[in-house]
Amino acid sequence: MPDANKENTLNQLVGAAFGAAGQRCMALSVAVMVGDAKHWIPELVERAQKLRVTAGDQPGADLGPVISPESKARIERLIQSGVDAGCELPLDGRNVSVPGYENGNFVGPTIMSKVTTDMECYREEIFGPVLNILEADTMDEAIEILNNNPYGNGCAVFTNSGAAARKFTNE
């Protein structure tokens, strides 16, 4: 929500989307930006660009490799499907090169914006370091998007409004 604490929200989005290279069951794969919150995307990109991609056992690693070459290929295919369908790609983590691990299964943080619910990249779980961003004009529209998602994944709202938090919880 646009009334949320922006710094905290952006930090939480980066950690939830890209921690464990996005390969955990409750990784954040979709963010619905409501109203003016969509203007936060460039700052989100800046933070994600600062993440260090390297072997997971290396000091300072923020993202390690994905689990297999097949997983990497699937992630990259789903990113491309979004691009082909018209989403924007403000941060492209494909073709990342990690010195000493040139043949590794690395995908860097990726942010896709202007994603819509009919795109394959939204409909399929990517299970990688990719954040799909949808936009909604109102909280009601955002709740409708979430409620129409066929998956039973967890969700959260970032807001400073108790009323908005209750509405989100109840609807």
Side-chain angles (χ1 to χ4, degrees):
M1 297 294 295
D3 71 315
N5 177 306
K6 181 168 71 169
E7 296 303 310
N8 180 55
T9 300
L10 294 175
N11 287 337
Q12 296 300 321
L13 290 174
V14 168
F18 306 121
Q23 298 176 107
R24 56 182 178 220
C25 292
M26 292 304 290
L28 178 69
S29 57
V30 174
V32 180
M33 303 297 242
V34 179
D36 287 340
K38 67 185 169 196
H39 299 300
W40 300 354
I41 294 171
E43 290 177 70
L44 183 64
V45 169
E46 286 177 26
R47 289 170 197 239
Q49 285 174 322
K50 293 177 183 174
L51 297 175
R52 184 167 179 247
V53 180
T54 189
D57 63 349
Q58 297 301 304
D62 294 309
L63 276 88
V66 296
I67 193 76
S68 68
E70 295 80 14
S71 179
K72 178 183 177 186
R74 181 177 184 280
I75 292 164
E76 291 178 343
R77 180 185 62 75
L78 287 167
I79 293 168
Q80 188 60 48
S81 78
V83 171
D84 293 345
C87 80
E88 294 179 6
L89 195 60
L91 183 58
D92 187 352
R94 298 174 294 177
N95 302 315
V96 67
S97 179
V98 176
Y101 301 93
E102 287 77 9
N103 295 318
N105 304 319
F106 295 97
V107 179
T110 300
I111 297 176
M112 303 194 323
S113 61
K114 306 274 187 197
V115 174
T116 60
T117 59
D118 62 330
M119 293 180 179
E120 182 183 17
C121 62
Y122 172 80
R123 292 188 326 264
E124 297 293 324
E125 186 176 25
I126 295 179
F127 210 65
V130 179
L131 179 61
N132 290 311
I133 299 178
L134 286 79
E135 296 177 10
D137 291 327
T138 65
M139 183 175 196
D140 288 333
E141 184 182 346
I143 290 171
E144 183 178 343
I145 291 168
L146 296 173
N147 286 338
N148 287 332
N149 187 299
Y151 302 110
N153 295 342
C155 55
V157 64
F158 291 92
T159 182
N160 283 320
S161 166
R166 283 187 296 281
K167 178 180 177 70
F168 179 82
T169 301
N170 293 321
E171 292 183 22

